[in-house]
Structure formats: structure tokens, C-alpha cells
């Protein structure tokens, strides 16, 4: 979710350069953004306090930054912040709004409200440095021929994933009118999606066949992506592709709707007062019946796709 923010921030502040430090496999997400230098790091090489101190020293020696932006705020980056401050660097970190999110996900709280969007929380870090940045919250479709629908049925946690039999039914319906491309990863997901490909005409599984860069290119060529509240929604945003997103235990109110995606393309069971019960979908169902996903109507998704 940081990449679209970087793009618009740097367009409005063209004399700034961002050094993005992250895991090496995320480099493709930032490849086409001017003034972003990606520094891929293997975190296994920088374990513990001494490892993080060595990492901080290496980054300072290589890049000599004017500011440090902590956009993650986890234990590792908190330690790096302390090290960087001791070395005299100006450090700014994201406010994740943890207390607000805890209140939002309290199943007894009936007054659910939209929290600040995560992309605005990222932008706030740059604003705190003194920069001006106004996010457009609009998709930027690439000017390429577009055809077919992408379908990403999987998510990291059960609370974010439509039951597979429902997604299978959805694929069968949509494949009658559109070429369908399945997205996934890992052995088990690939086996499932290849089985679907063999059973449903006009579908093709791309699971395990593409690099991240190739996957991004394919997503940019789709008319539409259908995704759970998962990474594929954000990849669609990055490539300017409309995404119909399916939400269960989580909710767009927590601020994680894809950059530029329309709330009209959100599919969810609206009348469950227990939603959202989780920010990330990693909790067991309070009711025990996963109604937020079991009660979702496949036809509702089809209607949203055809809007």
C-alpha cells in the first residue's frame, strides 16, 4: 500500500528521493516509480540487536538520509528507530491507530465508524516531516489492451476467505461470459486452481507460473480483479485495475481498502453487528458459524462485477 503513496508524494515533491528498505522480493512493486531506490535486505543476515545495529550503520553509510520514515512500526523497526535517533537522525513513524482499531473490532461496539485510511497514515509521516502531499485516491489504469477477469480466491486467514465452494460457483458463472484467470501461490493453492482449470471451461490458472513482475503485468491487462481482502486487491490498485473485493471478518472501516478502489465494489454482509471482529482476519469466529462469509451470496458478487 505504500507504493501509490510514494508515487503521488514524489510527483508533488520532485526534489525528494526515497530509499525503500524492505525484503528483496518486494522490489518489483516499486520498479517504475521515479526517485525511488529500492534497497533489498535479507533480514536473516541481521538478527538480534547487534544485527540491527549493523544494518542501521550500513544504511547510514550508504545513503546518509536526511529523514527516516518508519512506515511499519513493529519491534524490529522500533529498535532501528532508537539506533537512528542516537545517531542524530530525524525519525518519523506511522500512527497505526491501534486503540481506534481495538474499539472498532470490539464485537460489543455497535457504533462502527470509518477510520483513517492506511494510505493517509503513510502520507501523514511525510507531512510530519514538513512536506505537502494530497492523495488523489484514484486509480491510474495503464493504457494497455484489457481483457478477462482475475480471480484470487485465497487469503492468509480463514476470516478473510470466501468458502472455496462459493468461489468455485462464482468462477463457473463468470466463465460463461469472460475468460477467468486464477491467481494464487504455493503448492496446495496451485493444485486446487489447476483442478478448477480442468473442470471449468474458459479458465486458466496462473498460480505458481509467474514472477511478481509478470503477475503485475498480467493484472494491469485485466478488465477486473476479484479478490478477498488480501494482497491481490493492493496489487490491482498498484496497476490501476478495478477490484471487486470480498470482506468477511475484516471491514474497510479499518482503513485497508485498496488505494483508489470504490466502496461500491466492496462485497460484504452489512447487517452483522459483530463485524469487524478483527483487523487482519486472524481471530476465531465469535459466533462460531463464520456468518460473515457463509451468508455471502454469490449472485451479489456477480451483480457487483456487472455494475
Amino acid at each position: 500500500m505504500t507504493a501509490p503513496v510514494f508515487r503521488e508524494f514524489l510527483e508533488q515533491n520532485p526534489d525528494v528521493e526515497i530509499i525503500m528498505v524492505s525484503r528483496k522480493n518486494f522490489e518489483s512493486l516499486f520498479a517504475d516509480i521515479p526517485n525511488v531506490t529500492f534497497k533489498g535486505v535479507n533480514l536473516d543476515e541481521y538478527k538480534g540487536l547487534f544485527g540491527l545495529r549493523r544494518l542501521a550503520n550500513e544504511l547510514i553509510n550508504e545513503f546518509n538520509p536526511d529523514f527516516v520514515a518508519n512506515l511499519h512500526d513493529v519491534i524490529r523497526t522500533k529498535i532501528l528507530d532508537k539506533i537512528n535517533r542516537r545517531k542524530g537522525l530525524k525519525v518519523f513513524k506511522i500512527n497505526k491507530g491501534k486503540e481506534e482499531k481495538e474499539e472498532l473490532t470490539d464485537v460489543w461496539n455497535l457504533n462502527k465508524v470509518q477510520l483513517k485510511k492506511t494510505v493517509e497514515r503513510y502520507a501523514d509521516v511525510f507531512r510530519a516531516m514538513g512536506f505537502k502531499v494530497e492523495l488523489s485516491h484514484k486509480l491510474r489504469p495503464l493504457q494497455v489492451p484489457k481483457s478477462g477477469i482475475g480471480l484470487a480466491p485465497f487469503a492468509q486467514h480463514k476470516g478473510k476467505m470466501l468458502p472455496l465452494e462459493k468461489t468455485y460457483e462464482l468462477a463457473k458463472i463468470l466463465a460463461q461470459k469472460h475468460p477467468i484467470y486464477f491467481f494464487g501461490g504455493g503448492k496446495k493453492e496451485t493444485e486446487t486452481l489447476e483442478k478448477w482449470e480442468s473442470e471449468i471451461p474458459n479458465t486458466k490458472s496462473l498460480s505458481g507460473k509467474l514472477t511478481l513482475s509478470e503477475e503485475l503485468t498480467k493484472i494491469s491487462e485485466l478488465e477486473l480483479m476479484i479478490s478477498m481482502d488480501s494482497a491481490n486487491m493492493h496489487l490491482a490498485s498498484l496497476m490501476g485495475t478495478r477490484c471487486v473485493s470480498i470482506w468477511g471478518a475484516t471491514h474497510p472501516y479499518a482503513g485497508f481498502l485498496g488505494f483508489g478502489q470504490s466502496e461500491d465494489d466492496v462485497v460484504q454482509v452489512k447487517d452483522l453487528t459483530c463485524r469487524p471482529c478483527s483487523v487482519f482476519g486472524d481471530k476465531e469466529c465469535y459466533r462460531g458459524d463464520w456468518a460473515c462469509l457463509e451468508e455471502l451470496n454469490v449472485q451479489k458478487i456477480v451483480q457487483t462485477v456487472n455494475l
Side-chain angles (χ1 to χ4, degrees), residues 16-27:
V16 175
E17 180 185 10
I18 291 177
I19 312 299
M20 181 59 176
V21 182
S22 189
R23 296 179 188 273
K24 292 179 180 179
N25 50 318
F26 294 135
E27 184 169 6

Side-chain angles (χ1 to χ4, degrees), residues 69-241:
N70 177 356
L71 301 180
H72 205 21
D73 197 27
V74 294
I75 291 174
R76 186 185 294 113
T77 59
K78 288 177 190 290
I79 294 170
L80 284 170
D81 283 353
K82 287 187 176 182
I83 296 168
N84 285 323
R85 286 195 180 100
R86 285 176 181 169
K87 292 182 176 294
L89 291 173
K90 297 175 182 177
V91 177
F92 299 81
K93 72 173 184 178
I94 188 171
N95 176 2
K96 289 183 173 180
K98 287 185 178 179
E99 290 183 5
E100 303 166 67
K101 289 173 182 174
E102 284 179 12
E103 184 178 353
L104 177 69
T105 54
D106 182 348
V107 295
W108 301 109
N109 171 20
L110 303 183
N111 184 29
K112 312 283 190 180
V113 295
Q114 175 70 56
L115 302 184
K116 179 176 283 193
K117 294 180 177 179
T118 299
V119 288
E120 288 290 350
R121 294 185 188 275
Y122 290 139
D124 281 345
V125 178
F126 298 114
R127 292 171 183 138
M129 294 175 183
F131 296 104
K132 287 187 177 181
V133 52
E134 295 292 331
L135 300 182
S136 69
H137 298 287
K138 292 181 180 178
L139 291 177
R140 298 186 180 191
L142 298 187
Q143 300 305 308
V144 296
K146 292 179 178 286
S147 66
I149 292 176
L151 180 54
F154 298 99
Q156 189 174 359
H157 303 293
K158 182 177 179 179
K160 297 170 76 165
M161 201 169 106
L162 193 67
L164 286 178
E165 60 270 19
K166 286 179 179 278
T167 313
Y168 183 88
E169 182 186 349
L170 175 66
K172 283 178 68 176
I173 294 169
L174 294 176
Q176 293 173 17
K177 294 184 177 179
H178 310 272
I180 305 295
Y181 299 94
F182 297 131
F183 289 80
K187 185 180 178 184
K188 192 173 180 182
E189 292 182 13
T190 299
E191 288 174 355
T192 298
L193 295 177
E194 286 180 351
K195 183 172 182 287
W196 288 13
E197 178 185 4
S198 69
E199 294 173 354
I200 308 173
N202 207 22
T203 67
K204 182 176 178 59
S205 173
L206 302 176
S207 183
K209 297 178 181 176
L210 305 178
T211 64
L212 178 56
S213 179
E214 290 167 340
E215 186 170 332
L216 290 168
T217 298
K218 184 60 185 177
I219 290 172
S220 74
E221 297 168 350
L222 297 172
E223 294 176 64
L224 170 77
M225 171 66 89
I226 301 173
S227 170
M228 309 301 117
D229 166 25
S230 68
N232 284 282
M233 170 177 61
H234 301 298
L235 296 182
S237 285
L238 195 57
M239 304 315 292
T241 297

Side-chain angles (χ1 to χ4, degrees), residues 26-63:
F26 294 135
E27 184 169 6
S28 298
L29 302 179
F30 303 89
D32 66 337
I33 305 177
N35 286 16
V36 173
T37 298
F38 188 89
K39 174 67 175 178
V41 172
N42 180 357
L43 292 171
D44 290 337
E45 297 176 2
Y46 300 96
K47 289 184 176 179
L49 182 60
F50 293 107
L52 290 173
R53 184 180 293 163
R54 182 162 50 86
L55 174 60
N57 288 333
E58 288 177 11
L59 293 173
I60 291 168
N61 290 336
E62 185 173 356
F63 299 110

